[in-house]
Amino acid sequence: MRKINISFDAIPIIADKITGIGWCEIGQTQAVAKLFPDNNYEYTFFTSGKKSRIEKARTFAGNNINLNYSVFSGYLYRGLSAFLPVPYSLFFGKKSDITHFFNYIVPPFVHGKKIVTVHDMVYKTFPDTVRGRTRFMLESGLKKSMKRADIIITDSEFSRTEIIKYFPEYSAKIRVVPCGVDCEKFRPCTDPDIIKNVKKNLGIDGDYFLYVGTIEPRKNLKRLVRAYKILTRHIQNPPKLVIAGGKGWLYGDFFRLVEKLSLEKLVIFTEYVPTESMPPLISGAMAFVFPSLYEGFGLPPLEAMACGVPVLTSAEASLPEVTGDCAVICDAYSVKSIAESMYRLYKNTELRKYLSIKGIERASNFTWEKSAEKLYAIYRELLHEK
């Protein structure tokens, strides 16, 4: 088999704060480059003159992926290319056989074959939960992007059906490649001292329920905190509710609700959690709570299951596809249902033990290696190679 020149658009991984999209790209690209080393790989990105972006990309690239960057402003390029067909190849050349864009948008005039990952259709299904500028970008650019793409990747069967619902003309282009979890990193932490130190550093004492993710409307955190308030009325010394996530869109409303419900001493907001502290933080939780309204995949519950922590999640979107029968499922739109599910996990030690074992087994089916194998098969399919 001949060598393939594969470029990965690195915008999601050089961001100041890496979101789920960025971690998905990191997991897939690192695994592809490791499993199939006989190709040429590169991260392409605009630096806007910031050396920190080069260093960040180099950290994730390791020895298997090269860097191909332009000092031009990526923000300016995206703004210009939305209205003028400024060639992407003008900045990154014409060596690539395939360029994979992981964040919805394919710019004009990319050399070679083009792949785009469209993670979900939340901007269509729940437009009020999406930041205005993001919604504008997708409304104005996604259809053109999918037309330019030779293949559209998405994270779940649920998201595939969602894309087809809104863009049926592109159904033949869509392929499903589930995300994965690093089971070497996310695994049960068996050293109580490590967990104790992480809790101390984050200002957590005693038992706690844990949510990890961005603080934004579609994560359903207002209903979660109202459900937690109900729980505190039925338990004398309730576990804390720890919210470990970056501030997203409209986060201020959530903080005000916590104050209104007089939960300031029981709901703990961690600021930045170092990557190495996340597995012990998850492992120390009584349960992981994630009653989201909409997820294209839902990586945090999978990471929690890999750590052997029982998971509470909703029956919405792709979440049942990811968690299977290895989680307590609640009605995302019912505060009462969320509260009852939290109480059930709190009271039932045997259930927590059972879900811990089942969760580890379930997570082992979603690895970055398996994800990379499916992705690489699509690369070969695109070039009509076996």
Side-chain angles (χ1 to χ4, degrees):
M1 286 187 285
R2 71 179 181 90
K3 283 189 175 185
I4 307 174
N5 297 315
I6 302 174
S7 297
F8 306 120
D9 172 54
I11 287 176
I13 72 174
I14 61 167
D16 293 334
K17 293 181 180 178
I18 301 176
T19 64
I21 291 174
W23 289 116
C24 179
E25 176 174 359
I26 291 164
Q28 289 179 338
T29 57
Q30 287 182 340
V32 164
K34 182 179 179 181
L35 289 175
F36 307 99
D38 296 330
N39 299 299
N40 298 316
Y41 301 98
E42 66 177 18
Y43 283 141
T44 59
F45 57 99
F46 294 98
T47 69
S48 301
K50 296 181 180 179
K51 291 184 179 179
S52 59
R53 293 184 174 180
I54 300 172
E55 293 306 313
K56 198 166 193 177
R58 186 170 285 125
T59 299
F60 295 119
N63 297 321
N64 298 321
I65 303 173
N66 298 314
L67 304 187
N68 179 2
Y69 56 86
S70 168
V71 296
F72 194 75
S73 167
Y75 182 80
L76 181 57
Y77 174 75
R78 288 191 295 275
L80 284 172
S81 63
F83 302 100
L84 297 171
V86 182
Y88 187 80
S89 60
L90 189 66
F91 299 91
F92 300 107
K94 298 182 178 181
K95 294 181 180 179
S96 298
D97 296 307
I98 295 172
T99 302
H100 188 162
F101 297 87
F102 288 81
N103 196 16
Y104 295 89
I105 299 300
V106 177
F109 296 107
V110 177
H111 182 74
K113 300 292 185 179
K114 297 163 283 294
I115 292 180
V116 64
T117 298
V118 177
H119 298 275
D120 58 44
M121 287 281 109
V122 67
Y123 86 102
K124 289 284 193 184
T125 308
F126 292 103
D128 292 342
T129 69
V130 178
R131 192 188 301 267
R133 67 186 182 195
T134 302
R135 194 164 65 245
F136 173 78
M137 177 193 73
L138 294 172
E139 288 286 5
S140 61
L142 184 56
K143 188 169 184 176
K144 288 187 291 186
S145 179
M146 290 195 289
K147 185 177 180 179
R148 288 171 181 151
D150 295 286
I151 291 288
I152 299 165
I153 302 288
T154 196
D155 305 330
S156 62
E157 289 295 337
F158 167 79
S159 288
R160 185 182 73 85
T161 60
E162 284 282 277
I163 297 169
I164 293 172
K165 180 169 70 176
Y166 293 107
F167 300 98
E169 66 270 34
Y170 301 122
S171 60
K173 290 185 178 183
I174 303 171
R175 306 288 186 274
V176 175
V177 179
C179 297
V181 62
D182 183 347
C183 292
E184 288 299 312
K185 175 183 175 183
F186 290 96
R187 59 182 177 177
C189 179
T190 55
D191 188 334
D193 288 336
I194 294 176
I195 295 174
K196 182 179 178 181
N197 288 335
V198 168
K199 289 174 63 177
K200 182 179 179 182
N201 291 337
L202 295 173
I204 304 168
D205 63 319
D207 294 330
Y208 57 98
F209 291 103
L210 176 66
Y211 163 85
V212 175
T214 308
I215 300 172
E216 60 182 351
R218 72 181 169 105
K219 302 300 183 180
N220 208 24
L221 295 180
K222 285 186 178 180
R223 287 192 182 93
L224 173 61
V225 80
R226 288 191 177 102
Y228 178 68
K229 179 66 176 181
I230 294 173
L231 190 72
T232 63
R233 295 174 183 145
H234 295 86
I235 301 173
Q236 189 170 4
N237 294 302
K240 302 289 197 303
L241 174 60
V242 176
I243 307 292
K247 296 173 182 178
W249 187 51
L250 297 178
Y251 65 87
D253 290 349
F254 178 62
F255 290 125
R256 285 187 287 273
L257 178 61
V258 170
E259 293 174 359
K260 181 180 178 181
L261 296 175
S262 302
L263 291 173
E264 299 97 318
K265 293 182 180 179
L266 291 174
V267 177
I268 299 172
F269 296 97
T270 68
E271 291 297 327
Y272 173 74
V273 178
T275 302
E276 64 274 11
S277 297
M278 193 58 77
L281 175 65
I282 295 173
S283 295
M286 174 175 283
F288 188 88
V289 289
F290 199 81
S292 180
L293 297 173
Y294 193 98
E295 297 292 325
F297 184 78
L299 201 52
L302 187 61
E303 292 170 344
M305 288 193 295
C307 289
V309 174
V311 169
L312 184 163
T313 191
S314 73
E316 300 301 316
S318 65
L319 290 168
E321 191 177 329
V322 174
T323 59
D325 61 353
C326 303
V328 170
I329 305 296
C330 68
D331 179 352
Y333 294 92
S334 168
V335 172
K336 181 181 178 183
S337 174
I338 299 170
E340 288 175 347
S341 298
M342 294 176 76
Y343 187 75
R344 183 183 172 201
L345 281 168
Y346 170 76
K347 291 290 288 185
N348 196 329
T349 306
E350 290 304 312
L351 174 63
R352 295 201 304 272
K353 289 180 181 178
Y354 172 78
L355 291 177
S356 174
I357 295 169
K358 292 283 287 182
I360 293 172
E361 293 174 357
R362 179 76 178 178
S364 68
N365 293 321
F366 293 89
T367 66
W368 288 121
E369 288 74 21
K370 290 180 180 179
S371 182
E373 286 171 354
K374 290 186 177 182
L375 186 58
Y376 190 72
I378 292 167
Y379 292 165
R380 285 289 179 189
E381 172 198 347
L382 193 55
L383 297 175
H384 306 291
E385 297 184 8
K386 295 182 179 180

